[in-house]
Amino acid sequence: MQPYELSLSAAAEAIRARRLSPVELVDSVLNRIEQVQPDLNAYVTVTAEHARRAARAAENDIASGRYRGALHGIPMGLKDLIDVADMPTSASSRVRADHRARADSAVAQRLSTAGAVLAGKTHTHEFAYGLTTPQTRNARHPGRIAGGSSGGSAVAVAAGAATFALGTDTGGSIRVPAALNGVVGLKPTYGLISRHGVTSLSWSLDHIGPITRTVEDAALVLSALTGPDPRDPASLSDPAVHYHLTETTDLAGLRVGVPRNYYFDRVDPEVEAAVRRAVDQLRALGARLIEVDIPMTRYIQATQWGLMVPEATAYHENTLRTVPERYQDDVRILLEAGELMSAGDYLRAQRARELMRREWARMLREVDLIAAPTVPATAVETYRETITWGDGTTEAVADAYVRLSAPANITGVPSLSVPVGHDAAGLPIGMQLLGRPRAEDVLLRVGHAYEQTRRSSVEAPRGAPSRRADSAVRVSGQPSRAVKSGVSPE
């Protein structure tokens, strides 16, 4: 096994035990980036010399007894919405062509303090306004979408071009690409991780979180990122939390909610079967399955749009008026549409969100977490614009991908996406675990227990992307430029 194939926890243990040096690990990952970048295009910027200098410094610190912990010397990718001092933050947009960050974002600073090494900035949909990353190809099949808007981060981790990465999630943009590329993605509780220094899409829905190869790795990264930050108005006042996972797989007494409605509606049969097998595995580990009704489902899409669109337009108000031609057409049209929404529409969306939060809190008093599909279908071809479901209904691809992830953004509850298998074409399938606010420890414990029962499903990066046959999902539509944009609530 090459160093780039190691999980974060395995690499950290090898570095701590002096069986692997940070220089060896970083060189291996940089070589891997050089190998896969032409096909997958996960990175907008590769900071190779910066990474090598940081790796040498980490090696010297560790040799001198100044070991900082599990992230020390570990190479990472950061979504190109996240400021790193003296580096560009382009947000994959011509609007930001000349932008250089003056200071580190809160998360970049915390990861730097922990000793992590920046390998580069990863691609995103322009200003994160979409559920695909058009520039980037799926790590398992380059003819399929990577998901988005943190597609670059997910592909980098899945391909071995980063040991871990950070993404942002406004409507599913950590969990969607994690599921489509077969890695782990965590959207924490709203406010748990500071967003200071991160380009906003929708401030009341935005989250930051890790994308990793294992649940244990996600716990290690999350531990470095928590803690209050007065520079982010939404930051929780809770002290920093360190998440410790054990090797136990005993889930006795845990109540797992299985949705009767919504989460298994219009879902590909292979996805549903894989997720239900995973839920049955949780029961085999001692969990008690309880059917639950998801509340207010008819309002989810309207509430997501009603919050996100006007907030995004407000953020871009100045540049939309002064340099509209620098935006891609899909994003510019959405931003202009936001100017047509009334204050009443926005206030109604806020009220619906508050009612939804209350109903979810009530539901989560009956169970400890909910288990459901992350997305209703595996990764479709890059040019597809619709999915046709078994009942004959047709849905836009990006709308389909956001449908099951948006509730966690609206309510602010944490959600963890874990790989649970593949479809007949070899494309990854993800299950999401949703819990109570601040209950990341429960989600991580359950995800880790499941993961330990099927180690073979936690894949090392492949030598080359898969080019297997098409998925069983029925799709329709013609290739078009608009489809590749894949715009939907992010």
Side-chain angles (χ1 to χ4, degrees), residues 5 26 81 95 125 166 178 189 230 255 265 281 351-352 356 383 411 413 433 446 463:
E5 298 177 277
V26 168
L81 300 179
V95 176
H125 201 118
L166 292 192
T189 301
R255 300 169 300 168
D265 298 343
Q281 183 61 37
R351 176 169 172 74
M356 209 175 295
Y383 59 80
T411 60
V413 303
L433 305 174
V446 174

mmCIF file of all heavy atoms in Angstrom, residues 5 26 81 95 125 166 178 189 230 255 265 281 351-352 356 383 411 413 433 446 463:
data_model
loop_
_atom_site.group_PDB
_atom_site.id
_atom_site.type_symbol
_atom_site.label_atom_id
_atom_site.label_comp_id
_atom_site.label_asym_id
_atom_site.label_seq_id
_atom_site.Cartn_x
_atom_site.Cartn_y
_atom_site.Cartn_z
ATOM 1 N N GLU A 5 -2.668 6.013 -0.036
ATOM 2 C CA GLU A 5 -3.829 5.156 0.143
ATOM 3 C C GLU A 5 -4.278 5.042 1.592
ATOM 4 O O GLU A 5 -5.360 4.524 1.875
ATOM 5 C CB GLU A 5 -3.527 3.757 -0.392
ATOM 6 C CG GLU A 5 -3.234 3.711 -1.876
ATOM 7 C CD GLU A 5 -2.870 2.320 -2.340
ATOM 8 O OE1 GLU A 5 -1.694 1.924 -2.207
ATOM 9 O OE2 GLU A 5 -3.779 1.618 -2.827
ATOM 10 N N VAL A 26 3.368 13.364 2.209
ATOM 11 C CA VAL A 26 3.032 14.499 1.346
ATOM 12 C C VAL A 26 3.554 14.278 -0.070
ATOM 13 O O VAL A 26 2.846 14.553 -1.053
ATOM 14 C CB VAL A 26 3.555 15.806 1.957
ATOM 15 C CG1 VAL A 26 3.469 16.955 0.949
ATOM 16 C CG2 VAL A 26 2.771 16.159 3.212
ATOM 17 N N LEU A 81 -13.579 28.093 -1.339
ATOM 18 C CA LEU A 81 -14.329 29.173 -0.711
ATOM 19 C C LEU A 81 -13.651 29.573 0.599
ATOM 20 O O LEU A 81 -14.062 30.551 1.231
ATOM 21 C CB LEU A 81 -15.756 28.717 -0.380
ATOM 22 C CG LEU A 81 -16.679 28.245 -1.488
ATOM 23 C CD1 LEU A 81 -18.025 27.838 -0.899
ATOM 24 C CD2 LEU A 81 -16.863 29.316 -2.538
ATOM 25 N N VAL A 95 -15.494 36.476 -11.113
ATOM 26 C CA VAL A 95 -15.724 37.624 -10.221
ATOM 27 C C VAL A 95 -14.581 37.756 -9.220
ATOM 28 O O VAL A 95 -14.227 38.860 -8.807
ATOM 29 C CB VAL A 95 -17.075 37.459 -9.486
ATOM 30 C CG1 VAL A 95 -17.294 38.581 -8.474
ATOM 31 C CG2 VAL A 95 -18.220 37.413 -10.488
ATOM 32 N N HIS A 125 -18.591 24.389 -7.560
ATOM 33 C CA HIS A 125 -19.502 25.112 -8.455
ATOM 34 C C HIS A 125 -19.343 26.608 -8.145
ATOM 35 O O HIS A 125 -19.058 26.977 -7.002
ATOM 36 C CB HIS A 125 -20.937 24.685 -8.177
ATOM 37 C CG HIS A 125 -21.862 24.948 -9.311
ATOM 38 N ND1 HIS A 125 -22.522 23.950 -9.968
ATOM 39 C CD2 HIS A 125 -22.241 26.106 -9.914
ATOM 40 C CE1 HIS A 125 -23.278 24.470 -10.920
ATOM 41 N NE2 HIS A 125 -23.122 25.776 -10.906
ATOM 42 N N LEU A 166 -11.875 19.654 3.424
ATOM 43 C CA LEU A 166 -13.040 20.359 3.951
ATOM 44 C C LEU A 166 -13.932 20.778 2.799
ATOM 45 O O LEU A 166 -13.458 21.135 1.716
ATOM 46 C CB LEU A 166 -12.644 21.609 4.744
ATOM 47 C CG LEU A 166 -11.911 21.448 6.066
ATOM 48 C CD1 LEU A 166 -11.890 22.780 6.811
ATOM 49 C CD2 LEU A 166 -12.494 20.350 6.926
ATOM 50 N N ALA A 178 -19.850 13.316 -1.314
ATOM 51 C CA ALA A 178 -19.296 12.204 -0.541
ATOM 52 C C ALA A 178 -19.986 10.900 -0.926
ATOM 53 O O ALA A 178 -19.337 9.870 -1.169
ATOM 54 C CB ALA A 178 -19.440 12.473 0.952
ATOM 55 N N THR A 189 -23.723 20.205 13.226
ATOM 56 C CA THR A 189 -24.760 21.104 13.730
ATOM 57 C C THR A 189 -24.481 22.536 13.282
ATOM 58 O O THR A 189 -23.329 22.990 13.281
ATOM 59 C CB THR A 189 -24.794 21.050 15.265
ATOM 60 O OG1 THR A 189 -25.048 19.703 15.674
ATOM 61 C CG2 THR A 189 -25.864 21.971 15.832
ATOM 62 N N PRO A 230 -16.197 34.389 18.102
ATOM 63 C CA PRO A 230 -17.061 35.575 18.096
ATOM 64 C C PRO A 230 -17.147 36.253 16.742
ATOM 65 O O PRO A 230 -18.029 37.083 16.512
ATOM 66 C CB PRO A 230 -16.414 36.485 19.152
ATOM 67 C CG PRO A 230 -15.006 36.012 19.254
ATOM 68 C CD PRO A 230 -15.042 34.545 19.002
ATOM 69 N N ARG A 255 -32.018 3.867 19.599
ATOM 70 C CA ARG A 255 -33.260 3.907 18.830
ATOM 71 C C ARG A 255 -32.995 4.577 17.478
ATOM 72 O O ARG A 255 -32.658 5.749 17.426
ATOM 73 C CB ARG A 255 -34.332 4.666 19.603
ATOM 74 C CG ARG A 255 -34.673 4.056 20.959
ATOM 75 C CD ARG A 255 -35.534 5.009 21.767
ATOM 76 N NE ARG A 255 -34.849 6.287 21.994
ATOM 77 C CZ ARG A 255 -35.438 7.391 22.475
ATOM 78 N NH1 ARG A 255 -36.732 7.372 22.767
ATOM 79 N NH2 ARG A 255 -34.737 8.494 22.652
ATOM 80 N N ASP A 265 -39.162 7.784 -0.800
ATOM 81 C CA ASP A 265 -40.018 8.086 -1.946
ATOM 82 C C ASP A 265 -39.145 8.463 -3.140
ATOM 83 O O ASP A 265 -38.194 9.253 -2.990
ATOM 84 C CB ASP A 265 -40.965 9.250 -1.637
ATOM 85 C CG ASP A 265 -41.915 8.934 -0.494
ATOM 86 O OD1 ASP A 265 -42.069 7.738 -0.173
ATOM 87 O OD2 ASP A 265 -42.474 9.887 0.092
ATOM 88 N N GLN A 281 -28.298 -3.977 9.380
ATOM 89 C CA GLN A 281 -27.038 -4.247 10.065
ATOM 90 C C GLN A 281 -26.971 -3.501 11.400
ATOM 91 O O GLN A 281 -26.453 -4.031 12.395
ATOM 92 C CB GLN A 281 -25.863 -3.848 9.177
ATOM 93 C CG GLN A 281 -24.491 -4.157 9.756
ATOM 94 C CD GLN A 281 -24.292 -5.640 10.009
ATOM 95 O OE1 GLN A 281 -24.747 -6.474 9.235
ATOM 96 N NE2 GLN A 281 -23.640 -5.970 11.115
ATOM 97 N N ARG A 351 -40.433 31.521 8.869
ATOM 98 C CA ARG A 351 -41.436 30.952 9.769
ATOM 99 C C ARG A 351 -41.573 29.440 9.547
ATOM 100 O O ARG A 351 -41.660 28.670 10.501
ATOM 101 C CB ARG A 351 -42.789 31.643 9.554
ATOM 102 C CG ARG A 351 -43.913 31.039 10.398
ATOM 103 C CD ARG A 351 -45.156 31.889 10.368
ATOM 104 N NE ARG A 351 -46.289 31.220 11.006
ATOM 105 C CZ ARG A 351 -46.437 31.068 12.314
ATOM 106 N NH1 ARG A 351 -45.510 31.547 13.143
ATOM 107 N NH2 ARG A 351 -47.485 30.438 12.818
ATOM 108 N N ALA A 352 -41.571 29.027 8.283
ATOM 109 C CA ALA A 352 -41.657 27.594 7.992
ATOM 110 C C ALA A 352 -40.456 26.858 8.572
ATOM 111 O O ALA A 352 -40.591 25.749 9.110
ATOM 112 C CB ALA A 352 -41.746 27.370 6.487
ATOM 113 N N MET A 356 -40.568 23.873 11.249
ATOM 114 C CA MET A 356 -39.928 22.606 10.907
ATOM 115 C C MET A 356 -38.941 22.185 11.984
ATOM 116 O O MET A 356 -38.852 21.001 12.354
ATOM 117 C CB MET A 356 -39.237 22.740 9.543
ATOM 118 C CG MET A 356 -39.151 21.429 8.760
ATOM 119 S SD MET A 356 -38.462 21.682 7.102
ATOM 120 C CE MET A 356 -39.740 22.696 6.357
ATOM 121 N N TYR A 383 -23.940 14.788 -18.663
ATOM 122 C CA TYR A 383 -24.817 15.596 -19.516
ATOM 123 C C TYR A 383 -26.293 15.444 -19.180
ATOM 124 O O TYR A 383 -27.132 16.119 -19.775
ATOM 125 C CB TYR A 383 -24.603 15.233 -20.990
ATOM 126 C CG TYR A 383 -24.872 13.792 -21.322
ATOM 127 C CD1 TYR A 383 -26.164 13.322 -21.522
ATOM 128 C CD2 TYR A 383 -23.815 12.894 -21.434
ATOM 129 C CE1 TYR A 383 -26.411 12.002 -21.827
ATOM 130 C CE2 TYR A 383 -24.044 11.564 -21.734
ATOM 131 C CZ TYR A 383 -25.338 11.118 -21.936
ATOM 132 O OH TYR A 383 -25.575 9.805 -22.233
ATOM 133 N N THR A 411 -33.143 22.663 9.228
ATOM 134 C CA THR A 411 -33.313 22.484 10.669
ATOM 135 C C THR A 411 -32.023 22.661 11.451
ATOM 136 O O THR A 411 -32.058 22.850 12.665
ATOM 137 C CB THR A 411 -33.871 21.083 10.960
ATOM 138 O OG1 THR A 411 -32.956 20.094 10.463
ATOM 139 C CG2 THR A 411 -35.231 20.896 10.312
ATOM 140 N N VAL A 413 -29.753 20.351 11.967
ATOM 141 C CA VAL A 413 -29.314 19.137 12.665
ATOM 142 C C VAL A 413 -28.101 18.543 11.959
ATOM 143 O O VAL A 413 -27.891 18.748 10.763
ATOM 144 C CB VAL A 413 -30.448 18.094 12.745
ATOM 145 C CG1 VAL A 413 -31.671 18.677 13.436
ATOM 146 C CG2 VAL A 413 -30.807 17.549 11.363
ATOM 147 N N LEU A 433 -27.015 9.526 8.312
ATOM 148 C CA LEU A 433 -27.503 9.438 9.682
ATOM 149 C C LEU A 433 -27.752 10.858 10.160
ATOM 150 O O LEU A 433 -26.854 11.701 10.077
ATOM 151 C CB LEU A 433 -26.480 8.740 10.576
ATOM 152 C CG LEU A 433 -26.018 7.353 10.115
ATOM 153 C CD1 LEU A 433 -24.899 6.846 11.021
ATOM 154 C CD2 LEU A 433 -27.177 6.372 10.080
ATOM 155 N N VAL A 446 -22.304 5.525 15.710
ATOM 156 C CA VAL A 446 -23.087 4.583 14.912
ATOM 157 C C VAL A 446 -22.415 4.338 13.558
ATOM 158 O O VAL A 446 -22.304 3.194 13.101
ATOM 159 C CB VAL A 446 -24.522 5.095 14.731
ATOM 160 C CG1 VAL A 446 -25.309 4.197 13.785
ATOM 161 C CG2 VAL A 446 -25.219 5.182 16.087
ATOM 162 N N GLY A 463 -6.484 2.746 -8.487
ATOM 163 C CA GLY A 463 -5.405 3.142 -9.377
ATOM 164 C C GLY A 463 -5.891 3.969 -10.543
ATOM 165 O O GLY A 463 -5.196 4.804 -11.064
#
